[in-house]
């Protein structure tokens, strides 16, 4: 299949256009083709080929850093061109001659390390040399519709033929064998000699004559240029780099523009006098490597790095404060002179992305996504606007903005979420979607009137993060065995419990990942849809049109489902329908807001669900919290206090089939550049998984309190959240401080 560069050069060669003009012509045509593809159409050009959007399905790949787990690469879509057979015959070179389309070319279209004369001879083959013909220059215009390229090229060819007929060519010279030419002096040549005009200073010798043109001697195709990166040497020349501790100097980052680096996921990390080392997610992209080399003038050394590490390097370009300050400076907003008040009015009346406030809001949201924040808080204070990001479950101040732009920011957010911008007394909720760094990101917006104005909180739902497995979210040991055993049953309900923000939905998706199969019909009911998964039917509730969980669940059971996922059980009606679905042969996954696994049963009974229905339908109850993971680069040993030591030993003794070591090695957070001086990077779950044994069912039928159910579950072998957290702290994954924070009641 020909690549884009080959098409440009083929068009230039066949039409006589310069490479640049051929490039513009093809781009003008493909611009219209792109518009059609965006509408979901497949574009076919007669005798030329067809264009279509080709989806690459999601897949799991080994972690580039060799940490032993798989990374889920989400589905991507790219535009593919497949030339027709007629087009291939017209642009493919004849057999036996140099195929230059697959070779690196310079800016003039010549093969690298190949003299221009040699390239011309290789393209002419054994044909005799012919005098130059007039060059046909055609100024391309942007077509209104996609033209038939074959007709266009035929017209150009006919015009060239007409020009050739009007030209006066010199008859081709009779080729002379190279050996005879070498033995014969130049003055004895039988070929016509053009007149030589003598000069006054140095008259031309009488014997001087024009050398005879010779038949081109076959030239051996040149070997590909010696570049660092090609398929034959990539195994030994491309290395894997860990960038978690690297701080790249500003002068190195500035070699590549930030926009280019983010667009192509290519981060400069090192430079010498003649080379630049670039970390890439796809170092096999030779086109980007050559583009960087051309723009910088340096030899490029591509290295492989994880997307997370490259994003961290890209975030070193500038901080949020500098980014917002640059926006204010570029738009010439002088808050002291109250020019911002005029900008506020313009911004409210316009939804354009070029307004000052729009750019400030976009900078805040873009930075939140890049820092992997789960929530953004915009809080008006008396003298400033406080912006805080919730990263890894903990709020941290990111920037303080002038109080004068508070109303403009809130108004812009309301416009994005289609809320009433003139309503300042009542709470409002909405959602909007933005494309940040080529990824679609959803934001759930909540507006609340407070003392100093209106506070905005946005939940960030980045769809590019993909689905995690049970192992990746921290389920292991006996808890994993209980979950895996119960979700394979032919019917029944699995409940995931915990407070808001404890990762319940992520666990539900991990369970769906265990159950996905082409032979089952999976239907979900969510609010909102956080991850779009191919092969699963996902429906989003909308209370504004009276489409709630109960109504959606009634509709789902008529869709012949095998597996049903309900985002949340909030009321008796939803609970009863979910339980009835579990009793009638469906696998049901749902969430419930309770603090412990044992607390799910009294909660359902309090909703009005009959105890006998609960005992007959539920297979497993999972309770969880999210604890921050220690940064592997800066964690340091920690010695627990005497009081902590007593508590640790008391909990570990209760764990069934666990032999506690004589000594424990714990770690605590320190802080470094790799973790933004927090000491933590990422989160994992701490779980307790309650298997619904017969003795538990008896307590549920008797409507027993949750403490008795929990005591019996522990006797049956359940590991509590605190115990699970302590085991992970002993393994050095998290700290004791985090375990106490998320599990102490």
């Amino acid at each position: 299949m020909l690549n884009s560069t080959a098409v440009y050069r083929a068009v230039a060669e066949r039409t006589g256009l310069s490479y640049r003009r051929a490039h513009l012509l093809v781009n003008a045509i493909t611009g219209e083709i792109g518009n059609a593809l965006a509408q979901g159409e497949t574009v076919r050009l007669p005798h030329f080929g067809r264009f279509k959007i080709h989806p690459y399905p999601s897949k799991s790949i080994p972690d580039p850093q060799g940490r032993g787990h798989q990374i889920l690469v989400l589905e991507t879509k790219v535009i593919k061109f497949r030339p027709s057979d007629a087009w291939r015959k017209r642009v493919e070179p004849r057999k036996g001659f140099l195929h230059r389309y697959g070779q690196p070319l310079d800016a003039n279209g010549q093969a690298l390390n190949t003299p221009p004369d040699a390239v011309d001879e290789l393209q002419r083959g054994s044909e005799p040399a012919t005098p130059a013909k007039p060059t046909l220059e055609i100024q391309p215009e942007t077509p209104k519709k996609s033209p038939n390229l074959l007709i266009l090229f035929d017209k150009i060819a006919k015009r060239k033929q007409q020009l050739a007929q009007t030209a006066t060519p010199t008859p081709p010279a009779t080729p002379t064998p190279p050996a005879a030419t070498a033995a014969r002096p130049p003055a004895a040549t039988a070929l016509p000699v053009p007149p030589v005009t003598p000069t006054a200073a140095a008259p031309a010798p009488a014997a001087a004559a024009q050398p005879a043109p010779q038949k081109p001697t076959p030239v051996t195709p040149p070997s590909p240029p010696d570049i660092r990166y090609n398929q034959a040497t990539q195994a030994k020349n491309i290395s894997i780099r860990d960038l978690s501790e690297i701080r790249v100097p500003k002068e190195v980052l500035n070699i590549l523009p930030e926009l280019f680096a983010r667009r192509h996921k290519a981060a400069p990390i090192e430079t010498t006098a003649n080379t630049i080392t670039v970390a890439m997610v796809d170092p096999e992209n030779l086109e980007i490597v050559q583009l960087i080399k051309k723009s910088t003038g340096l030899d490029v050394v591509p290295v492989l790095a994880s997307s997370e590490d490259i994003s961290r390097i890209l975030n070193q370009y500038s901080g949020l404060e500098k980014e917002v300050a640059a926006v204010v400076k570029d738009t010439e907003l002088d808050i002291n002179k109250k020019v911002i008040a005029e900008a506020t009015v313009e911004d409210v009346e316009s939804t354009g992305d070029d307004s000052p406030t729009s750019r400030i809001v976009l900078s805040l949201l873009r930075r939140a996504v890049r820092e992997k924040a789960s929530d953004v808080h915009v809080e008006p204070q008396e003298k400033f606007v406080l912006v805080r990001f919730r990263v890894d479950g903990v709020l941290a101040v990111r920037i303080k903005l002038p109080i004068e732009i508070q109303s403009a920011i809130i108004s812009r957010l309301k416009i994005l979420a289609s809320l009433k911008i003139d309503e300042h007394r009542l709470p409002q909720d909405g959602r909007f979607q933005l494309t940040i760094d080529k990824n679609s990101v959803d934001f759930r917006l909540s507006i609340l009137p407070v003392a100093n104005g209106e506070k905005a909180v946005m939940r960030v739902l980045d769809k590019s993060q993909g689905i995690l497995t049970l192992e990746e979210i921290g389920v292991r040991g006996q808890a994993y065995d209980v979950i895996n055993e119960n979700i394979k049953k032919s019917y029944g309900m699995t409940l995931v419990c915990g407070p808001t923000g404890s990762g319940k939905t992520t666990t539900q998706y991990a369970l769906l990942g265990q159950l996905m199969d082409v032979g089952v019909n999976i239907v979900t009911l969510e609010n909102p849809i956080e991850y779009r998964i191919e092969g699963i039917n996902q429906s989003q509730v909308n209370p504004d049109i009276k489409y709630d969980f109960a109504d959606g669940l009634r509709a789902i059971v008529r869709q012949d489902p095998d597996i049903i996922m309900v985002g949340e059980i909030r009321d008796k009606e939803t609970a009863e329908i979910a339980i009835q679905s579990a009793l009638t042969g469906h696998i049901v996954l749902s969430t419930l807001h309770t603090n412990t696994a044992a607390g799910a049963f009294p909660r359902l009974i309090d909703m009005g669900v009959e105890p006998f229905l609960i005992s007959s339908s539920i297979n497993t109850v999972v309770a969880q919290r999210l604890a921050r993971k220690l940064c592997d680069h800066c964690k340091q040993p920690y010695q627990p206090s005497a009081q902590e030591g007593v508590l640790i030993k008391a909990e570990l003794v209760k764990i069934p089939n666990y032999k506690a070591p004589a000594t424990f090695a714990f770690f605590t957070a320190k802080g470094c550049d790799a973790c933004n001086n927090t000491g933590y990077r990422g989160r994992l779950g701490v779980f307790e998984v309650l298997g619904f044994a017969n003795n538990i069912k008896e307590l549920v039928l008797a409507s027993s309190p949750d403490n008795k159910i929990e005591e019996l579950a522990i006797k049956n072998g359940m590991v509590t959240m605190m115990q699970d957290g302590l085991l992970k702290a002993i393994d050095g994954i998290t700290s004791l401080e985090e375990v106490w924070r998320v599990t102490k009641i």
Side-chain angles (χ1 to χ4, degrees):
M1 183 178 293
L2 298 176
N3 58 24
S4 58
T5 302
V7 173
Y8 299 148
R9 301 201 181 283
V11 173
E13 181 182 354
R14 300 297 176 181
T15 62
L17 297 175
S18 65
Y19 175 79
R20 175 174 174 78
R21 293 183 181 277
H23 192 170
L24 293 173
L25 174 64
V26 176
N27 281 353
I29 297 172
T30 55
E32 293 297 325
I33 293 175
N35 294 334
L37 292 175
Q39 305 295 328
E41 303 174 2
T42 297
V43 178
R44 291 181 175 86
L45 297 178
H47 307 290
F48 181 66
R50 60 189 177 95
F51 299 82
K52 68 174 183 177
I53 295 180
H54 180 76
Y56 285 92
S58 60
K59 61 180 180 179
S60 296
I61 63 173
D63 183 62
Q65 294 188 350
R67 290 176 289 196
H69 61 267
Q70 298 286 314
I71 295 178
L72 179 64
V73 179
L74 295 181
E75 178 188 17
T76 57
K77 296 181 180 179
V78 297
I79 298 177
K80 289 287 187 180
F81 166 66
R82 184 175 296 277
S84 66
D85 292 338
W87 176 248
R88 284 180 181 275
K89 293 177 181 178
R90 297 188 67 171
V91 301
E92 291 288 349
R94 289 170 295 173
K95 184 177 181 181
F97 296 96
L98 176 65
H99 187 339
R100 71 170 182 171
Y101 301 121
Q103 292 188 0
L105 303 171
D106 62 15
N108 298 320
Q110 306 294 345
L112 294 179
N113 292 350
T114 306
D117 294 339
V119 176
D120 292 340
E121 290 174 356
L122 287 169
Q123 291 192 347
R124 289 196 300 267
S126 59
E127 298 175 358
T130 56
K133 297 181 180 180
T135 302
L136 179 64
E137 294 288 341
I138 298 180
Q139 180 65 34
E141 297 180 356
T142 304
K144 298 299 181 181
K145 296 182 180 179
S146 299
N148 189 323
L149 292 185
L150 184 62
I151 296 176
L152 179 62
F153 297 153
D154 286 342
K155 289 181 178 180
I156 295 174
K158 289 178 181 178
R159 179 59 180 158
K160 289 182 64 179
Q161 185 177 5
Q162 293 174 1
L163 292 175
Q165 292 173 357
T166 59
T168 306
T170 301
T174 304
T176 303
T181 302
R184 185 180 305 169
T189 178
L191 296 176
V193 179
V196 180
T197 303
T199 61
Q210 181 77 14
Q214 302 177 9
K215 182 178 180 179
T217 303
V219 180
T220 303
S223 58
D226 183 18
I227 57 177
R228 290 181 174 272
Y229 179 77
N230 54 60
Q231 291 183 352
T233 60
Q234 68 178 29
K236 59 181 179 181
N237 283 342
I238 294 184
S239 60
I240 300 175
R241 295 290 292 271
D242 181 5
L243 309 179
S244 54
E245 294 182 331
I246 291 180
R247 192 76 181 178
V248 182
K250 289 293 183 183
E251 56 270 19
V252 176
L253 289 175
N254 292 334
I255 295 177
L256 290 181
E258 181 180 2
L259 182 61
F260 175 90
R262 290 191 181 277
R263 179 178 300 167
H264 301 292
K265 283 287 187 180
I269 56 176
E270 295 173 359
T271 184
T272 64
N274 300 317
T275 65
I276 179 173
T277 302
V278 182
M280 303 174 65
V281 174
D282 181 16
E284 296 182 0
N285 193 333
L286 184 57
E287 183 177 357
I288 301 302
V289 172
Q290 294 290 348
L291 187 59
I292 295 174
K293 179 179 180 180
K294 182 178 179 180
S295 63
T296 61
L298 302 173
D299 291 332
V300 180
V301 182
V303 297
L304 177 64
S306 67
S307 179
E308 179 183 356
D309 283 353
I310 291 178
S311 296
R312 195 187 64 80
I313 297 297
L314 296 176
N315 289 339
Q316 296 177 15
Y317 268 95
S318 62
L320 181 58
E321 295 82 358
K322 293 182 179 180
E323 188 174 346
V324 174
V327 173
V328 175
K329 181 179 180 180
D330 291 344
T331 53
E332 298 181 354
L333 295 181
D334 189 350
I335 59 175
N336 295 325
K337 296 181 181 179
K338 299 184 179 179
V339 180
I340 189 67
E342 299 178 5
T344 301
V345 175
E346 294 176 359
D347 185 59
V348 171
E349 294 177 352
S350 172
T351 59
D353 293 335
D354 294 331
S355 61
T357 309
S358 299
R359 296 177 60 191
I360 294 174
V361 169
L362 181 59
S363 296
L364 294 174
L365 299 181
R366 182 169 53 232
R367 184 62 59 177
V369 172
R370 291 173 181 173
E371 293 187 15
K372 301 187 182 301
S374 61
D375 299 271
V376 179
H377 292 240
V378 181
E379 305 169 346
Q381 307 297 317
E382 185 176 355
K383 297 182 180 180
F384 55 85
V385 178
L386 188 66
V387 179
R388 297 194 290 173
F389 292 171
R390 187 180 294 277
V391 180
D392 293 337
V394 178
L395 280 172
V397 176
R398 283 295 177 267
I399 192 173
K400 295 180 180 179
L401 299 175
I403 190 63
E404 288 84 355
I405 67 174
Q406 185 267 339
S407 59
I409 290 177
I410 298 299
S411 297
R412 177 59 183 167
L413 292 174
K414 288 181 178 179
I415 290 173
L416 290 173
S418 301
L419 302 180
K420 297 179 180 179
I421 62 174
D422 58 346
E423 178 58 70
H424 306 289
R425 301 169 300 173
L426 297 175
Q428 297 187 69
D429 294 322
R431 59 175 55 89
F432 59 93
Q433 186 178 89
L434 296 175
T435 300
I436 297 177
D437 296 336
K438 294 185 178 181
N439 295 323
S440 178
V441 183
D442 285 340
F443 296 89
R444 283 192 292 175
L445 174 65
S446 174
I447 303 292
L448 178 69
V450 294
N452 296 304
E454 291 177 285
K455 175 185 176 182
V457 176
M458 287 160 284
R459 171 63 59 87
V460 183
L461 304 173
D462 189 353
K463 301 177 183 178
S464 66
Q465 296 180 357
I467 303 174
L468 302 177
T469 63
L470 288 175
E471 295 90 340
E472 290 172 336
I473 64 177
V475 181
R476 60 183 191 175
Q478 184 181 9
Y480 181 87
D481 296 336
V482 173
I483 291 177
N484 199 40
E485 177 184 353
N486 282 281
I487 63 174
K488 291 181 178 179
K489 293 182 178 179
S490 59
Y491 68 93
M493 181 186 295
T494 298
L495 286 175
V496 183
C497 303
T500 301
S502 59
K504 299 186 297 296
T505 303
T506 302
T507 301
Q508 281 187 302
Y509 279 111
L511 293 173
L512 285 181
Q514 297 281 97
L515 297 170
M516 284 184 61
D517 188 88
V518 294
V520 296
N521 178 23
I522 302 177
V523 187
T524 71
L525 190 63
E526 308 172 55
N527 185 25
I529 298 174
E530 297 192 18
Y531 304 103
R532 299 187 184 273
I533 311 172
E534 185 176 357
I536 294 180
N537 306 286
Q538 299 171 270
S539 179
Q540 181 168 315
V541 301
N542 188 351
D544 295 337
I545 59 174
K546 297 182 180 180
Y547 178 52
D548 55 16
F549 283 104
D551 294 330
L553 196 49
R554 286 194 197 91
I556 285 177
V557 296
R558 295 191 291 270
Q559 290 287 314
D560 186 31
D562 297 295
I563 301 169
I564 302 172
M565 189 187 92
V566 184
E568 182 183 348
I569 294 179
R570 297 181 178 179
D571 50 44
K572 177 182 178 181
E573 188 176 14
T574 306
E576 288 181 342
I577 299 174
I579 288 176
Q580 291 295 338
S581 302
L583 291 174
T584 53
H586 303 93
I587 297 175
V588 180
L589 309 177
S590 189
T591 68
L592 201 62
H593 282 91
T594 61
N595 291 323
T596 62
F601 307 111
R603 174 79 173 119
L604 290 172
I605 293 174
D606 184 63
M607 285 184 182
V609 181
E610 295 294 337
F612 73 91
L613 292 176
I614 299 174
S615 62
S616 302
S617 59
I618 294 180
N619 293 334
T620 315
V621 181
V622 181
Q624 68 179 76
R625 299 289 190 278
L626 289 178
R628 291 180 292 175
K629 297 169 62 177
L630 284 169
C631 175
D632 292 331
H633 302 94
C634 64
K635 64 182 181 181
Q636 57 187 11
Y638 171 74
Q639 182 63 39
S641 64
Q643 183 178 1
E644 288 178 325
V646 173
L647 180 58
I648 292 170
K649 291 181 179 180
E651 288 295 329
L652 294 180
V653 169
K654 300 177 185 177
I655 301 178
N657 302 323
Y658 177 75
K659 185 178 180 180
T663 58
F664 305 109
F666 294 98
F667 296 87
T668 188
K670 179 183 178 182
C672 64
D673 290 339
C675 58
N676 284 331
N677 293 315
T678 63
Y680 297 95
R681 290 184 64 186
R683 289 189 291 178
L684 82 162
V686 290
F687 301 89
E688 61 182 27
V689 179
L690 190 154
F692 214 32
N694 290 330
N695 52 3
I696 300 291
K697 292 182 180 181
E698 294 176 359
L699 292 181
V700 172
L701 287 172
S703 300
S704 301
D706 57 345
N707 60 339
K708 290 187 177 181
I709 297 176
E710 183 174 358
E711 290 176 2
L712 185 56
I714 293 174
K715 291 181 181 179
N716 290 344
M718 183 183 75
V719 177
T720 65
M721 283 185 287
M722 181 177 291
Q723 294 167 355
D724 186 46
L726 289 174
L727 293 176
K728 290 170 180 174
I730 292 173
D731 292 340
I733 302 174
T734 187
S735 65
L736 285 176
E737 181 183 5
E738 277 295 290
V739 175
W740 307 140
R741 182 180 69 86
V742 301
T743 62
K744 271 194 171 182
I745 300 176

